[in-house]
Every structure is written in structure tokens, then in C-alpha cells.
Amino acid sequence: MTKIFFKTNRFLSAVLSKHKIKYSTATKPVTTVLVNEKEYQSDDYTNITPKIISYLGRNLHLQKNHPLSIVRQRIVNYFYSSFTQRGNPAFSVYDNLTPVVTTKQNFDDLLIPLDHPSRAKSDCYYINRGTLLRGHMTAHQSELLKSGLDNFLMIGDVYRRDEIDATHFPVFHQVDAVRSQRKDELFRDKQDLHIFEPNFDPNNPQAFTNSIDDPMKQRCHTLEASKLMETQLKTHLIGLVKSLFGEGIKFRWVEAYFPFTHPSWELEIYYEYNWLEVLGCGIVRNEILASAGPNNSIAYAFGLGLERLAMALYKIPDIRLMWSTDSGFLTQFENVDINTKIRYKPVSSFPQCTNDMSFWLPPNLTVDTFMSNDFYDLVRDVGGDIIEQVKLKDKFVHPKSKKHSLCYSIVYRHLERTLTQAEVNQVHKEIEKAIIANYGVVIR
């Protein structure tokens, strides 16, 4: 079987190696893909890149003195202190789960429809049709419920194909949680109330057709159970946000839709004169709980991104800094009380270099069918971490020839030194070669 092969311009390779800039370009068809020391058969869905594979195993959320790890610990501490059973934490924490999951885990188990955009190749990093890098930590929810867990936090790195700018990166970190309660827990003092409607048998849930037509609850749940869980959920999450941002933080709830919860909401905080979304949450769809075994409980779930919180809390301006190994960045978070108010101080500021790239598309592609995320991955694969931003600048269809053209603006900036224009031009030229080789475009 063929492995992944790469080629580099020798001169460029030496220059980039000297300055610790990673660079690679795939040149041969891949029949197998090696991910986390395991070999997978590739197919027409395979779109994972060597650059993305290089991020596996970094586990920034577990690195001591890293801002993501600090925020993770603050969230875990909040749940440990807020929920106890006989003096012990009620929530268990799973922060080292493998990021390689099946499409069943990532989509089917969570009731995500087959035509949902989150399944698209343009949104996910597929190893093959049946396997991918998880797009959210919720991918582990069903397996943990099936193992008998009621209350748990899932923390780790997730992977999504996205645009390139100061707040977006193809890898980020999430905290997801589930809290389940049975009747005796939910209605401690009102045992005459029930979680389920009288016509629902929790021991035979398949005999009941659930629905989410009512905006206030799922069909199987009583209104009392749904509203009480909603109150608990919102109270707990407001408490979490206040523990992170202070008692005076302004917040608001926005109704939302997620395939795996109903009703669902997003929590926004008023931060630096703007409303900032910090998490999504809702009441877990009963079908998910029922598939885990005998269903006598109701649950809520939420998910939040660690990068978004850390960037807001510590005033970190560029998401790429999360991956920096520069001591000037990391030492700012060393040996401090995790509740200390830290404000990131730039180590230094290096200038940008911006180059445009315009190209004619081959006849089989148009400005509407060409996937920008494919181009972003290619740019990132070649340019590595010196790519600060890529923007689609212009779409053009020639009025006579009807040929289609795209123009992208690529911003280069190193986080630790000044790039020369000559270096940038060389990398830019290699990106041109890669886009020609991969898509048959003609540079304008």
C-alpha cells in the first residue's frame, strides 16, 4: 500500500527549517493514511492533511501553565464545588479521549440528519467515509451514557475546516457536559410530579414516537420536568459564567436549534461593548438517552469553546498564539493562581506581508462550486503557521470567454520574528505550484 509522500524545494526547505517553519505538499495519491500510529484505508472522502495530523496529541488543554488548561481547570473546579454526592464530586471528567471517531459517533448517535451541513466534506476532516476527526466533544456522549454515567464532562481537541483569521483555527478545544436526573432527584419534595407523560413507557421507549413540535418541551416530557431542568441548566451556567467573568457580567439567552437537544439555547455575555456567544445548551433528546439503555431520566447538556473564553479572559488577540511555544507567551501564565486576572502583554509585534493570488478555474469548476475550505487547507499545509489570514477577495466571470476566476488575499506573519518579503514570495510561489498541481488552475 502507498503511504503519504511529500516533496519540497530544497532551498525553501532549508530556509524554512532554519526558521522553524513547517512545510509540506502532498504529491502522490494516498491509499492509506497513518493517524495516531494506526493505518486507515483512504477513499473518496479522505481530506485530512499532514498539517492537521501534526496537531494530534498536542493536548494543549492538559499542558501546565497554558491558558487553555487554566480555563479548563476553572470550569472543572466550578462543577466539582457545585455538585457533590456524599462529599465527592458528582461529575466525572474525561479529558484524554481519542479524537478519531466514527461517523456514527459524530453524527448518527446524535440524531444529526444525513443532509445536515455539518456532515459535509467542506466542514469536516475525514479519514475515510466512516471515520473522521471529531467535530465536537459531544461525539463521545452516547458511549459514556451507555457505560452507565449520569454526570460527566468531556474535554478535548476538536477539528473543523474553517476560514483563516485571528479567531478561527482548524483545531480548537471544547468542554461538553451532561447532567442526568431521575424522578426522585428532580422532584425531591414533589414526588407526585413525573418526568414523562402518562402515555410514555420509559421501559419501552421505542413504542412511543417522540417529537419536538412544542417549543417548550419534547413530546415525551411533562412540562414540569422540562421547565425545572431548564431552570437548573440556566442557573448552573450563569453561575459558571459569573465564576469566570465576575458577578457583574451581563448576559442573555437566545433560542437556538441543535439536533441533539430540545429546547435549546445559546448564552451570550456583554463583553467589551459587544454580545459574545459563549456556549450552546439544551435538554438532551430522549431518543439519545433511550438508546443508552433503560430510560428513566431526563438530562441537560452544554458545550463551550476554551479558546473563545481564554481569548476574552486574557485579552489574547490571535488564536495562533495558543499553539506558540515561545517562552515570552507561556511564562505569562506560569505559577499563577488560576483565578488571577491575567492580561496578555505582546512580546513583540512583527509586520504583515500580504500577497494576492488570482487564478482561472478549470472547466469543471465554477466560482460557486470551488470550495474555499479546500484552498485554505492547501495554503495552511504549505505555509504552516506563518499564515495569519486568507480572504476571498474577488469572484469574476469573463463576459466573453465565460471563464471563472477567483482572487484570494493571503496575509503572512510570523509570531516570533520578522518575515522578509523574499521569504514570503518563495512560500507564495510554492502555494501557486500546489494549487496548480491539485486543481489544474491557471495563475493570472
Side-chain angles (χ1 to χ4, degrees), residues 38-286:
K38 182 176 179 180
E39 200 168 73
Y40 296 86
Q41 186 71 37
S42 64
D43 56 29
D44 60 322
Y45 256 59
T46 303
N47 63 1
I48 189 172
T49 69
K51 184 62 179 176
I52 295 303
I53 292 175
S54 73
Y55 293 117
L56 293 171
R58 292 284 297 275
N59 293 330
L60 301 183
H61 63 292
L62 298 177
Q63 291 185 15
K64 186 178 180 181
N65 301 324
H66 195 283
L68 296 180
S69 182
I70 293 173
V71 177
R72 171 194 60 83
Q73 191 59 59
R74 291 183 67 182
I75 293 170
V76 170
N77 288 352
Y78 171 79
F79 279 91
Y80 275 0
S81 62
S82 300
F83 303 93
T84 58
Q85 292 178 344
R86 294 183 290 276
N88 297 313
F91 276 81
S92 50
V93 177
Y94 299 86
D95 54 18
N96 200 22
L97 299 164
T98 175
V100 178
V101 297
T102 64
T103 52
K104 181 176 183 296
Q105 290 174 288
N106 205 72
F107 303 117
D108 301 339
D109 287 347
L110 300 173
L111 311 180
I112 296 176
L114 291 174
D115 60 351
H116 197 274
S118 67
R119 289 179 179 258
K121 286 175 63 176
S122 59
D123 272 35
C124 301
Y125 286 105
Y126 280 93
I127 298 172
N128 53 42
R129 276 184 171 269
T131 315
L132 71 161
L133 298 183
R134 61 188 171 211
H136 46 188
M137 289 305 297
T138 317
H140 301 284
Q141 178 177 282
S142 290
E143 64 188 91
L144 294 178
L145 285 169
K146 289 176 181 177
S147 71
L149 295 171
D150 294 324
N151 308 304
F152 50 88
L153 296 170
M154 304 164 283
I155 310 173
D157 46 344
V158 300
Y159 299 77
R160 295 183 195 169
R161 303 183 73 191
D162 211 338
E163 56 195 287
I164 300 176
D165 59 31
T167 60
H168 293 87
F169 203 77
V171 192
F172 57 101
H173 298 74
Q174 277 189 340
V175 176
D176 275 34
V178 171
R179 174 168 169 76
S180 307
Q181 294 186 85
R182 296 176 180 270
K183 174 183 173 179
D184 59 337
E185 298 173 288
L186 185 64
F187 301 118
R188 292 182 184 277
D189 303 319
K190 297 181 179 179
Q191 289 297 303
D192 57 321
L193 297 178
H194 301 278
I195 289 177
F196 299 107
E197 294 286 5
N199 57 341
F200 177 81
D201 180 1
N203 295 311
N204 187 22
Q206 289 75 23
F208 184 88
T209 302
N210 197 19
S211 72
I212 55 173
D213 299 330
D214 187 337
M216 301 182 70
K217 71 181 192 73
Q218 297 172 44
R219 181 168 173 246
C220 64
H221 293 146
T222 63
L223 183 61
E224 293 86 358
S226 185
K227 296 304 287 185
L228 183 53
M229 284 296 287
E230 175 185 341
T231 299
Q232 287 188 13
L233 167 64
K234 291 181 175 179
T235 300
H236 298 154
L237 293 180
I238 290 168
L240 171 62
V241 167
K242 287 184 175 181
S243 75
L244 294 172
F245 289 92
E247 286 292 326
I249 191 70
K250 294 181 181 179
F251 60 87
R252 69 182 183 188
W253 293 98
V254 179
E255 290 187 1
Y257 165 77
F258 305 111
F260 31 82
T261 57
H262 181 80
S264 305
W265 306 271
E266 290 175 345
L267 177 58
E268 297 180 348
I269 60 172
Y270 194 67
Y271 180 77
E272 293 190 346
Y273 310 106
N274 286 297
W275 286 103
L276 174 70
E277 178 207 332
V278 292
L279 58 86
C281 62
I283 309 301
V284 176
R285 291 276 295 273
N286 190 69

Side-chain angles (χ1 to χ4, degrees), residues 314-364:
Y314 306 133
K315 307 296 188 295
I316 298 172
D318 193 319
I319 195 169
R320 292 180 302 159
L321 283 165
M322 299 298 180
W323 297 87
S324 175
T325 57
D326 182 70
S327 60
F329 172 73
L330 295 175
T331 54
Q332 297 185 41
F333 302 92
E334 277 185 1
N335 304 317
V336 295
D337 183 278
I338 63 173
N339 296 308
T340 300
K341 290 185 177 181
I342 305 169
R343 188 182 184 97
Y344 166 71
K345 297 176 182 178
V347 180
S348 57
S349 181
F350 300 105
Q352 296 176 332
C353 291
T354 303
N355 285 15
D356 288 348
M357 183 175 296
S358 299
F359 47 83
W360 295 108
L361 293 170
N364 63 312

Side-chain angles (χ1 to χ4, degrees), residues 382-398:
V382 177
D385 294 335
I386 68 169
I387 304 299
E388 181 175 82
Q389 188 177 52
V390 181
K391 280 188 175 181
L392 178 59
K393 189 174 182 179
D394 183 48
K395 295 181 179 181
F396 173 69
V397 180
H398 195 282

Side-chain angles (χ1 to χ4, degrees), residues 6-25:
F6 307 101
K7 69 174 182 179
T8 60
N9 174 288
R10 290 185 180 179
F11 170 75
L12 176 63
S13 179
V15 171
L16 298 183
S17 176
K18 175 182 177 182
H19 298 293
K20 298 181 179 179
I21 304 172
K22 294 183 179 180
Y23 166 82
S24 63
T25 305

